[in-house]
Amino acid sequence: MTKEISRRSFLQGIGLAGAATVGAGLAGCAPAAPAAEGEKLSDTGDQAHRWSWEAGPEDISEDQIAETVEHEFVVVGAGLAGLATAASLAENGGDVLVVEKNTTWASRGSVIAHIGALNTPRWVAAGVEYSKFDVFRDWDVQNGSRMDNAQVWTFLERSGEALEWSLQKAEALGGTVELLGSHYFGEKFPEYYGTVMVNASDKMIELEGNGIEMGKGNALHFSLYQSSLDNGAQYLWSTPGKQLVVEDGKVTGIICVNADGDYVRYKATKGVILATGDISGDEEMSACFAPIMNRCQSSMYIPAGMNTGDGQKMAIWAGAKMQDGPWPPMIHPQGYGMFLGPFMCTNSFGRRFMNEDTWTQGKSLGILNQPGNVDYGFCVFDKNYSRDMHATRKIGGGLMWDSVYRVYGNNEPDEMYDERILGMGVDGGFIYQADTLEEAAALVKADYPTFDEDLFLAEVARYNELVAAGEDTDFGKRADLMLPIAEAPFFIEKVGPNKMCAPGGALITGYGQVIDEEENPIEGLYAVGNCSGGLYAVDYPLVINGNSHGRCITFGYLLGRQLTGVEEVQSYPTRA
């Protein structure tokens, strides 16, 4: 007989000793000192907890369960990872139910989504192919050698195949695929081609039918969704997962709240797959696992408010081992103005603080690590901004330096993109323009009293001296990127990071099965996408732009094939 999970039953059922085990995976984020006044603290009567979710779920009694429904597989979350998993399971004969707390499937929005993989067949056909060993080396460097090597190697070996699988589904619905031609060409943080963009078709818009704006940001998501529907997958919207059902150490289902507000137990005879996204929409979980995310004041996560760590919490309550913290941040400099390029940057006080020849994450982290407890700095350039952006992108480039839409093979200046991004900054009130640097600095000072006009002007004068000398003896920036700030009009732009997500969560075996604190697989429980841990550490690597989207497709594709027996399940050494 199936029983509902409770704080007592899940502790007993997973075979772990004592209530303290609930927080065992949290040792890396639990503070030694007691919580300060006003901080979140939960007291269950038997133990005080630093984090409100640490105590585990409230009891759900049998008489509260309105219905029990059975499927082979229950996928929790209908973002890219959940959609890929559902599509793979369904096309290989799996009986799939997807439960989603939002009102529809989720995407990064209709503007753009970069999807990255290594050596996708169409990139190889374009004459671009890389050694897995070279890419692994640079992935390892950017992750501080702390990632799960096996996961990274699986991604590098199988992501091209998996992405091609998904792209063919988009093309079957009339979608078109473009290869992204922009990435960072600098020496410090190598990036590789491998990213694609998918354009929506009229057929997709007609099939979707709910008025969702379709574009580069969600065409591939919809294609996977439609494929799963065509192969029999079922979806329930407005149905958040609340807690896993654990029996004798095995996850056998999940309890959700349906659209009518009733508890429903969804039994999964072959597995529950968590695909709930990251934690950065939950400030408390971020404070625990990825504190730097809370320093960013803006977010581009879509749909807003959905990435609250639901899967990570449920996995913890079921005894899962969490990735060591802090979890890697994915933050891009899109919080304010987005026009950075090779230009001189200062902190909020007006002092230059970095070598601007760096990757997207580098600029974002550099700003956050400055004094002043703010998430912004300033970028300064003159009338030649578009010329300078284009002249340097072939040796620098990357996000916010080059067009995010540039198609591979098109090397023409994208002046329209430059003007559009500059215009967005002006419209947003992030760009100050004047005929002299003194006037521009005075405008900034009026809005930001801590900004030091004299310091700023002295820093620009110093920078121009270094440009003239042909050597940046302050920060070592390449001479080719040292461009004078000399011709009116002058622009000072407020710049800063935008939090995208903090990928991390339950540690998994090579094919996605969640492991417990003893590093043994938890039967019946799997995780894909940004609620799983191990693929990244320290920082989100832009070795291939959009690889987070690519990892969702890759591991969803592989998990679906392995759980349905199409591929042999990878063995995992247990410690029992």
Side-chain angles (χ1 to χ4, degrees):
M1 175 181 178
T2 302
K3 60 182 179 181
E4 72 281 4
I5 189 173
S6 69
R7 175 161 168 77
R8 293 182 296 275
S9 65
F10 88 78
L11 285 170
Q12 295 167 354
I14 59 178
L16 301 177
T21 308
V22 180
L26 314 179
C29 65
E37 182 179 356
E39 290 185 310
K40 293 185 177 182
L41 186 70
S42 173
D43 190 343
T44 63
D46 59 348
Q47 179 184 5
H49 297 276
R50 174 65 174 85
W51 310 104
S52 64
W53 38 266
E54 194 176 347
E58 298 293 331
D59 291 352
I60 297 177
S61 61
E62 185 67 33
D63 60 9
Q64 291 178 279
I65 305 294
E67 184 182 8
T68 296
V69 179
E70 183 174 303
H71 290 270
E72 288 182 338
F73 303 101
V74 178
V75 178
V76 188
L80 187 55
L83 295 171
T85 306
S88 183
L89 286 167
E91 77 174 16
N92 290 305
D95 165 28
V96 187
L97 173 70
V98 181
V99 293
E100 166 58 49
K101 71 177 181 179
N102 197 16
T103 56
T104 186
W105 49 275
S107 74
R108 290 298 308 173
S110 61
V111 178
I112 194 168
H114 294 151
I115 305 103
L118 181 65
N119 296 337
T120 305
R122 56 196 71 210
W123 269 108
V124 175
V128 178
E129 186 172 8
Y130 298 110
S131 160
K132 292 188 288 288
F133 301 97
D134 291 343
V135 180
F136 181 88
R137 175 201 62 218
D138 292 318
W139 195 297
D140 188 40
V141 169
Q142 291 189 29
N143 285 269
S145 300
R146 293 181 57 204
M147 74 290 186
D148 179 349
N149 282 229
Q151 275 195 63
V152 176
W153 197 251
T154 296
F155 176 79
L156 298 180
E157 288 198 312
R158 302 296 300 276
S159 61
E161 166 195 344
L163 181 53
E164 182 64 26
W165 164 81
S166 67
L167 294 178
Q168 289 179 8
K169 295 182 184 303
E171 290 176 326
L173 296 177
T176 56
V177 178
E178 296 174 327
L179 307 182
L180 179 67
S182 58
H183 66 250
Y184 177 69
F185 293 94
E187 300 173 355
K188 291 170 60 179
F189 296 98
E191 294 179 9
Y192 297 85
Y193 286 123
T195 308
V196 304
M197 303 171 288
V198 180
N199 298 302
S201 65
D202 291 340
K203 184 175 182 180
M204 291 180 187
I205 296 170
E206 180 182 351
L207 284 171
E208 198 284 322
N210 292 322
I212 296 176
E213 184 180 358
M214 299 288 291
K216 290 180 186 289
N218 54 19
L220 190 60
H221 299 66
F222 177 75
S223 303
L224 291 164
Y225 169 65
Q226 188 62 47
S227 173
S228 68
L229 286 180
D230 292 343
N231 286 297
Q234 301 177 49
Y235 286 77
L236 293 174
W237 312 121
S238 303
T239 306
K242 292 299 181 182
Q243 53 194 244
L244 298 167
V245 180
V246 183
E247 299 180 276
D248 299 324
K250 176 182 179 180
V251 172
T252 60
I254 185 171
I255 297 175
C256 300
V257 176
N258 66 17
D260 296 324
D262 297 324
Y263 285 115
V264 178
R265 178 169 45 220
Y266 296 101
K267 294 184 65 176
T269 60
K270 294 187 177 180
V272 173
I273 298 99
L274 299 174
T276 55
D278 85 300
I279 63 169
S280 61
D282 185 311
E283 288 192 4
E284 188 187 16
M285 289 207 85
S286 293
C288 175
F289 291 112
I292 199 170
M293 299 301 284
N294 285 342
R295 294 194 60 190
C296 302
Q297 298 303 304
S298 62
S299 171
M300 288 189 69
Y301 189 88
I302 300 172
M306 293 289 122
N307 58 334
T308 50
D310 301 2
Q312 287 86 344
K313 293 170 188 173
M314 288 188 284
I316 288 170
W317 299 332
K321 183 173 184 177
M322 292 289 110
Q323 175 178 347
D324 289 339
W327 293 351
M330 183 195 299
I331 52 176
H332 297 346
Q334 297 158 279
Y336 303 103
M338 297 188 290
F339 206 75
L340 273 76
F343 306 121
M344 172 183 163
C345 288
T346 78
N347 62 21
S348 62
F349 300 112
R351 183 180 297 281
R352 186 181 180 218
F353 65 95
M354 68 183 297
N355 179 337
E356 297 87 0
D357 175 25
T358 188
W359 62 321
T360 295
Q361 293 269 116
K363 290 181 177 176
S364 300
L365 293 167
I367 289 169
L368 289 177
N369 287 326
Q370 282 298 293
N373 196 31
V374 295
D375 69 336
Y376 64 86
F378 296 98
C379 179
V380 56
F381 45 93
D382 68 9
K383 66 171 289 187
N384 300 306
Y385 65 87
S386 187
R387 180 201 69 188
D388 293 343
M389 290 278 275
H390 179 67
T392 60
R393 70 170 180 80
K394 294 181 181 179
I395 58 173
L399 294 177
M400 308 306 117
W401 189 332
D402 189 12
S403 167
V404 296
Y405 304 100
R406 183 181 297 281
V407 175
Y408 179 71
N410 177 13
N411 292 315
E412 294 301 313
D414 194 346
E415 294 178 0
M416 183 179 296
Y417 176 80
D418 295 344
E419 292 172 3
R420 183 165 62 248
I421 295 299
L422 186 71
M424 289 172 60
V426 172
D427 293 342
F430 305 131
I431 291 181
Y432 300 83
Q433 177 180 345
D435 289 333
T436 68
L437 279 169
E438 289 79 6
E439 291 172 323
L443 293 173
V444 176
K445 176 70 172 182
D447 287 343
Y448 300 93
T450 60
F451 181 76
D452 189 324
E453 296 172 78
D454 293 335
L455 172 64
F456 173 79
L457 293 172
E459 291 288 280
V460 175
R462 167 66 177 169
Y463 186 81
N464 281 331
E465 289 176 359
L466 297 173
V467 172
E471 183 179 8
D472 180 12
T473 54
D474 288 351
F475 292 100
K477 185 173 176 180
R478 283 182 284 166
D480 289 346
L481 300 175
M482 295 291 287
L483 305 167
I485 306 167
E487 295 189 59
F490 297 94
F491 304 87
I492 302 176
E493 177 186 31
K494 180 183 179 182
V495 294
N498 183 293
K499 61 181 177 182
M500 311 291 280
C501 66
L507 292 177
I508 56 176
T509 66
Y511 80 108
Q513 189 169 12
V514 175
I515 63 174
D516 65 20
E517 286 292 341
E518 301 301 317
E519 300 186 6
N520 295 315
I522 298 176
E523 188 175 357
L525 183 61
Y526 306 87
V528 293
N530 286 337
C531 71
S532 63
L535 189 65
Y536 311 122
V538 183
D539 272 324
Y540 169 68
L542 276 174
V543 176
I544 303 170
N545 284 197
N547 68 77
S548 175
H549 289 145
R551 73 89 72 99
C552 292
I553 293 170
T554 300
F555 289 96
Y557 165 76
L558 294 176
L559 184 58
R561 292 170 62 83
Q562 291 168 342
L563 290 180
T564 54
V566 174
E567 289 192 24
E568 183 179 354
V569 172
Q570 293 176 311
S571 62
Y572 184 81
T574 63
R575 302 198 177 198

